Every structure is written in structure tokens, then in C-alpha cells.
Amino acid sequence: MTVLVTGGAGYIGSHMVLELLDAGARVVVLDDLSTGHDWAVPQGVPLIVGETGDQALVTRLIREHRISAIIHFAASIVVPDSVRDPLAYYRNNTVNSRALIECAVENKVRDFIFSSTAAVYGNPVEIPVKEDAPAQPISPYGWSKLMTEVMLRDASRAYGLRYVILRYFNVAGADPQCRSGQTSKVSTHLIKIAVETAVGIRPKIEVFGADYPTPDGTCIRDYIHVSDLARAHSDALRHLRTGGPSATLNCGYGHGFSVLEVIDMVKRVSGADFKVDIGPRRAGDPAQIVAASEQARAVLGWQPRFDDLATIVGHALAWERKLQAQGVPPTRAATKVGQAPAAKDSARPRRR
């Protein structure tokens, strides 16, 4: 019995792979490497380069590796990009997810964990936002994820597919052992950009909007440590495998920090001062969103270990300094396109 992790060469997906390996599970990764890195997948874990929408490829992987569960991270995630190019987001996030769900159903994969987002709530009226709050996305990104949630629920009713949908917003930090971290080809996450600025990679950081209806005028978010999030997915998988019902749950710490508060924490933890510019708002950004996560704790038994902004920033900073000291990690030659351990595990990545 093996777990298929889509997007397992990306930021959150690579931490999920580590979580599964630490628990003794067998893992296979499917990633198109459009934003992920082949070196982020540990040696010994099969990495198949391809799309989740390639049904022939996914079907073959499920059968050859005896996949019993799918944890689905692969997606485009930049909110402003989704506003500029919505059809690309609906294709990659919604159409491809539909194809993946169909493969799961047709090949009798019973357990499906979906990486969703608190962006499905849009601008919630009540903070912290609960799972039964109205879903009113304000960006194509949020809509693309909500559509996949609806498909999963319908597939569950029609075909018996069991699922857990996990909604979260701002993921940050790095593996405490510095085995993985955020290495985006184009960084968009606040803490990642802030620590890059702290170590001198960037000359300054720009804040997008300081006129929101919040105490200091900047957006407030619930920042969750990436390793705690990976643990929540692992708990969700155990929940399903032990007969638990399908569920839609928030993942967060239940309290938020503003953009300026995060920047101040990065300055304090790093001991570095740096320039901060205030720019215009970005399209699709809600003013404040914090996730009520009592249900995840009650239903899954999830117990976060890193609910501390200084710890999150410290782990992100340690990872950034490791990247600086070592340079970009080498490519896994064994898993380059056309050079997979077995030819059957090779596929061309999508070109963007």
C-alpha cells in the first residue's frame, strides 16, 4: 500500500513526503516540476515527472505502485496571477483535479486528501472563520479550489470515495532538521520574501497595501508551520484509514499577525534591519482571515507543535542561510526527464 503525493517536489508536498517517510510509509511523487524541484524529493522515493491531468499516466502509476491513497497538493497558488490568467488556474487546479479524482474512482483508490485554502471564504464576516461560514471566493484561485471541493463531495456521494479537505492560508517555516524548505522559483510568500531580504538577497521588501481595516492597516493572516500542516494531512489519512467519515476542516492556529508584525519579527529574529516600502493593494487579497481549527483538533486529533511566530521565522531563516551557504542544491540526475530510474516513470513536464 503506497501513498501518491501530487506536487511532492514542491514546498508543502516535500514536507508531506518527509512526514510519510518518517512514519515508515511508502511514497510515490507525481510533479510536473513547473514550480517544484527534483532535488526536494528524497533519494529512494520514485519521482514521476508529469501532470495530474494525464489520466493514462496516473492510472498506470496507481496500478503499478498499488496506490491506496492520494494526497493532492499540485496546484497553481498565486492569487494575483489567478486574477490575471484565470483560465490557466481553472485548467491546472480544477480540470486536472477532476481528472485525478476520476482516476481514483475508476481504480478504486478509496482515500483522498485535498490541499484546499481559506481563500474559499473570501472576506469572511466573522473572525476566526469556521468551516460552516459561507464560501464566497474573491479570486479565481479561491474558486478553482472550491470547485474541486464540490467535485470531491459529489464523487463521495456517488462512488463512495472517502476524502478529507483541509483549508489553510499562509504556510511558512521549514523542516526543523533543515531537510526541506521553501525554494520557490518565484517567491510570493511574505515570510520567505522577508527572510530573503534579511539575508541580503533582496534590497528591500514591498508591502501591498497599508489602508486595510486592520489595526496597522496591513493584512492579517493565520501563519501555520509547514511541518504542522504536513502532520495534519498525515492525521487526516489515518482518520480515513481507521474508518473515519469524510470531512472538510480548517488548519490554522486560530490567531493572526499583520504583515508589519511579521516583518518586525523577521528583523528581530535575524538581527538585520532592511528597507520596507508601502505599495498599492494587490487584487484578490482579503483584509483579514484567521482559521478556527477546533474541528481539526477534535476530529483528527491534530496537535500542532510549532505554534509560535518566532519559531516559524527561525526555521525559515535557518533554511535560507543553508541555501546561501550551499548554493542551489544539485539536480537529482536519476530523475531528470527521460532519465527516470525506469523508463515507465518518465513523462514530459508541462511547459508554461
Side-chain angles (χ1 to χ4, degrees), residues 112-128:
F112 198 107
I113 313 296
F114 177 52
S115 169
S116 190
T117 171
V120 301
Y121 297 117
N123 271 311
V125 176
E126 295 185 4
I127 299 295

Side-chain angles (χ1 to χ4, degrees), residues 252-284:
Y253 295 147
H255 51 82
F257 296 93
S258 73
V259 172
L260 292 181
E261 287 175 327
V262 170
I263 291 173
D264 180 65
M265 180 62 75
V266 172
K267 287 183 176 182
R268 284 195 282 143
V269 172
S270 67
D273 195 9
F274 48 84
K275 185 178 181 182
V276 179
D277 285 349
I278 305 297
R281 294 185 182 190
R282 296 186 305 185

Side-chain angles (χ1 to χ4, degrees), residues 78-86 89 138-141 283-284:
V78 181
V79 171
D81 285 354
S82 78
V83 176
R84 287 190 293 267
D85 192 4
Y89 271 66
I138 59 174
S139 69
Y141 167 64

Side-chain angles (χ1 to χ4, degrees), residues 41-160:
V41 180
Q43 293 290 339
V45 174
L47 167 61
I48 293 80
V49 181
E51 286 195 19
T52 53
D54 185 341
Q55 290 186 292
L57 173 62
V58 172
T59 295
R60 180 161 53 80
L61 293 182
I62 291 173
R63 294 174 180 176
E64 291 183 356
H65 293 277
R66 300 181 62 195
I67 302 298
S68 63
I70 295 173
I71 305 181
H72 182 31
F73 293 100
S76 301
I77 63 170
V78 181
V79 171
D81 285 354
S82 78
V83 176
R84 287 190 293 267
D85 192 4
L87 293 182
Y89 271 66
Y90 291 130
R91 178 191 182 278
N92 195 35
N93 293 2
T94 309
V95 175
N96 283 357
S97 291
R98 182 240 170 243
L100 182 67
I101 293 168
E102 184 173 55
C103 285
V105 170
E106 291 183 346
N107 291 280
K108 297 180 173 52
V109 176
R110 293 293 304 277
D111 302 327
F112 198 107
I113 313 296
F114 177 52
S115 169
S116 190
T117 171
V120 301
Y121 297 117
N123 271 311
V125 176
E126 295 185 4
I127 299 295
V129 61
K130 297 181 180 180
E131 289 87 349
D132 59 358
Q136 299 174 327
I138 59 174
S139 69
Y141 167 64
W143 281 110
S144 72
K145 289 287 195 171
L146 183 59
M147 291 176 184
T148 301
E149 290 191 10
V150 172
M151 289 189 292
L152 273 173
R153 292 173 189 141
D154 289 344
S156 178
R157 285 191 289 266
Y159 314 115

